[in-house]
Coordinates of all heavy atoms in Angstrom, one line a residue:
A134 N 76.8 76.2 77.7 CA 75.4 76.6 77.4 C 74.6 77.1 78.6 O 73.8 78.0 78.4 CB 74.7 75.4 76.8
T135 N 75.0 76.6 79.8 CA 74.2 77.0 81.0 C 74.9 78.2 81.6 O 74.5 78.6 82.8 CB 74.1 75.9 82.0 OG1 75.4 75.4 82.3 CG2 73.3 74.7 81.4
G136 N 75.9 78.8 81.0 CA 76.5 80.0 81.6 C 77.7 79.6 82.6 O 78.3 80.5 83.2
N137 N 77.9 78.3 82.7 CA 79.0 77.9 83.6 C 80.4 78.1 82.9 O 80.4 78.1 81.6 CB 78.9 76.4 83.9 CG 78.9 75.5 82.7 OD1 78.2 75.8 81.7 ND2 79.7 74.5 82.6
V138 N 81.5 78.3 83.7 CA 82.8 78.5 83.1 C 83.3 77.1 82.6 O 83.5 76.2 83.4 CB 83.8 79.1 84.1 CG1 85.2 79.2 83.5 CG2 83.3 80.5 84.5
E139 N 83.5 77.0 81.3 CA 84.1 75.7 80.8 C 85.6 75.7 80.8 O 86.3 74.7 81.1 CB 83.7 75.5 79.3 CG 82.4 74.8 79.3 CD 82.1 74.2 77.9 OE1 82.8 74.5 77.0 OE2 81.0 73.6 77.8
Y140 N 86.2 76.9 80.6 CA 87.7 77.0 80.7 C 88.1 78.4 80.9 O 87.3 79.4 80.6 CB 88.3 76.4 79.4 CG 87.9 77.2 78.1 CD1 88.6 78.3 77.7 CD2 86.9 76.7 77.3 CE1 88.3 79.0 76.6 CE2 86.6 77.4 76.1 CZ 87.2 78.5 75.8 OH 86.9 79.2 74.6
A141 N 89.3 78.6 81.4 CA 89.9 79.9 81.5 C 91.3 79.8 80.8 O 92.0 78.8 80.9 CB 90.1 80.3 82.9
I142 N 91.6 80.8 80.0 CA 92.9 80.9 79.3 C 93.6 82.1 79.9 O 93.1 83.2 79.8 CB 92.8 80.9 77.8 CG1 92.2 79.6 77.3 CG2 94.1 81.2 77.2 CD1 91.9 79.5 75.8
V143 N 94.8 81.9 80.4 CA 95.7 83.0 80.8 C 96.8 83.0 79.9 O 97.6 82.1 79.8 CB 96.2 82.8 82.3 CG1 97.0 84.0 82.7 CG2 95.0 82.5 83.2
G144 N 97.0 84.2 79.2 CA 98.1 84.3 78.2 C 99.0 85.4 78.7 O 98.6 86.5 79.2
I145 N 100.3 85.1 78.7 CA 101.3 86.0 79.2 C 102.4 86.2 78.2 O 102.9 85.3 77.6 CB 101.9 85.5 80.5 CG1 100.8 85.2 81.5 CG2 103.0 86.4 81.1 CD1 100.9 83.8 82.2
G146 N 102.8 87.5 78.0 CA 103.9 87.8 77.1 C 105.0 88.5 78.0 O 104.6 89.5 78.7
I147 N 106.2 88.0 77.9 CA 107.3 88.7 78.7 C 108.4 89.1 77.7 O 108.8 88.3 76.9 CB 107.9 87.7 79.7 CG1 106.9 87.0 80.6 CG2 109.1 88.4 80.5 CD1 106.5 87.8 81.8
N148 N 108.8 90.4 77.8 CA 109.9 90.8 77.0 C 111.2 90.3 77.6 O 111.4 90.6 78.8 CB 110.0 92.3 77.0 CG 108.7 93.0 76.5 OD1 108.1 92.5 75.6 ND2 108.4 94.2 77.0
C149 N 111.9 89.5 76.9 CA 113.1 88.9 77.5 C 114.4 89.5 77.0 O 115.3 89.8 77.8 CB 113.1 87.4 77.2 SG 111.9 86.5 78.2
C150 N 114.6 89.5 75.7 CA 116.0 89.7 75.2 C 116.2 91.1 74.5 O 117.2 91.3 73.9 CB 116.4 88.6 74.2 SG 116.3 87.0 74.9
Q151 N 115.2 91.9 74.5 CA 115.3 93.2 73.8 C 116.3 94.1 74.4 O 116.5 94.2 75.7 CB 113.9 94.0 73.9 CG 112.8 93.4 73.0 CD 111.9 92.4 73.7 OE1 112.3 91.8 74.7 NE2 110.7 92.2 73.1
N152 N 117.0 94.9 73.6 CA 117.7 96.1 74.0 C 116.8 97.2 73.7 O 115.8 97.1 72.9 CB 119.0 96.2 73.1 CG 120.0 95.1 73.5 OD1 120.3 94.8 74.6 ND2 120.5 94.4 72.5
P153 N 117.1 98.4 74.3 CA 116.2 99.6 74.1 C 115.9 99.8 72.6 O 114.7 100.1 72.3 CB 117.0 100.8 74.7 CG 117.9 100.1 75.7 CD 118.2 98.8 75.2
E154 N 116.9 99.7 71.7 CA 116.6 100.0 70.3 C 115.7 99.0 69.6 O 115.2 99.2 68.5 CB 117.9 100.2 69.5 CG 118.8 98.9 69.5 CD 119.8 98.8 70.7 OE1 119.5 99.5 71.8 OE2 120.7 98.0 70.7
D155 N 115.4 97.8 70.3 CA 114.5 96.9 69.7 C 113.1 97.3 69.8 O 112.2 96.7 69.2 CB 114.8 95.5 70.3 CG 116.1 94.9 70.0 OD1 116.5 95.0 68.8 OD2 116.8 94.4 70.9
F156 N 112.8 98.2 70.8 CA 111.4 98.7 70.9 C 111.2 99.8 70.0 O 112.1 100.6 69.7 CB 111.2 99.1 72.4 CG 111.2 98.0 73.4 CD1 112.3 97.9 74.3 CD2 110.2 97.0 73.4 CE1 112.3 96.9 75.2 CE2 110.3 96.0 74.3 CZ 111.3 95.9 75.2
S157 N 110.0 100.0 69.4 CA 109.7 101.1 68.5 C 109.7 102.4 69.3 O 109.5 102.4 70.6 CB 108.3 100.9 67.9 OG 107.3 100.9 69.0
P158 N 110.0 103.5 68.6 CA 110.2 104.8 69.4 C 109.0 105.1 70.2 O 109.2 105.7 71.3 CB 110.4 105.8 68.2 CG 110.9 105.0 67.1 CD 110.3 103.6 67.2
E159 N 107.8 104.7 69.8 CA 106.6 105.1 70.6 C 106.6 104.5 72.0 O 106.0 105.0 72.9 CB 105.3 104.7 69.9 CG 105.1 105.2 68.4 CD 105.8 104.3 67.5 OE1 105.3 103.1 67.3 OE2 106.8 104.6 66.9
I160 N 107.2 103.3 72.1 CA 107.1 102.6 73.4 C 108.4 102.5 74.1 O 108.5 101.9 75.2 CB 106.4 101.2 73.3 CG1 107.3 100.2 72.4 CG2 105.0 101.3 72.8 CD1 106.9 98.8 72.5
R161 N 109.5 103.0 73.5 CA 110.8 102.8 74.0 C 111.0 103.3 75.4 O 111.6 102.7 76.3 CB 111.8 103.5 73.1 CG 113.3 103.0 73.3 CD 114.1 103.5 72.1 NE 113.8 102.8 70.9 CZ 114.2 103.3 69.7 NH1 114.8 104.5 69.6 NH2 113.8 102.6 68.6
D162 N 110.3 104.4 75.7 CA 110.4 105.0 77.1 C 109.7 104.2 78.1 O 109.9 104.3 79.3 CB 109.9 106.4 77.1 CG 110.8 107.4 76.4 OD1 112.0 106.9 76.1 OD2 110.4 108.5 76.0
I163 N 108.7 103.4 77.7 CA 107.8 102.8 78.7 C 108.0 101.3 78.7 O 107.4 100.6 79.5 CB 106.3 103.1 78.5 CG1 105.8 102.6 77.1 CG2 106.0 104.6 78.7 CD1 104.3 102.5 77.1
A164 N 108.9 100.7 77.9 CA 109.1 99.3 77.8 C 110.5 98.9 78.3 O 111.4 99.6 78.2 CB 108.9 98.8 76.4
T165 N 110.5 97.7 78.9 CA 111.8 97.1 79.3 C 111.8 95.6 79.0 O 110.8 95.1 78.6 CB 112.2 97.5 80.7 OG1 113.5 97.2 81.0 CG2 111.3 96.8 81.7

Side-chain angles (χ1 to χ4, degrees):
T135 57
N137 59 312
V138 175
E139 272 195 356
Y140 61 84
I142 292 173
V143 182
I145 303 132
I147 307 275
N148 302 326
C149 286
C150 302
Q151 286 94 338
N152 292 310
E154 60 274 17
D155 294 318
F156 294 111
S157 63
E159 307 85 70
I160 62 165
R161 199 165 289 159
D162 288 345
I163 60 162
T165 192

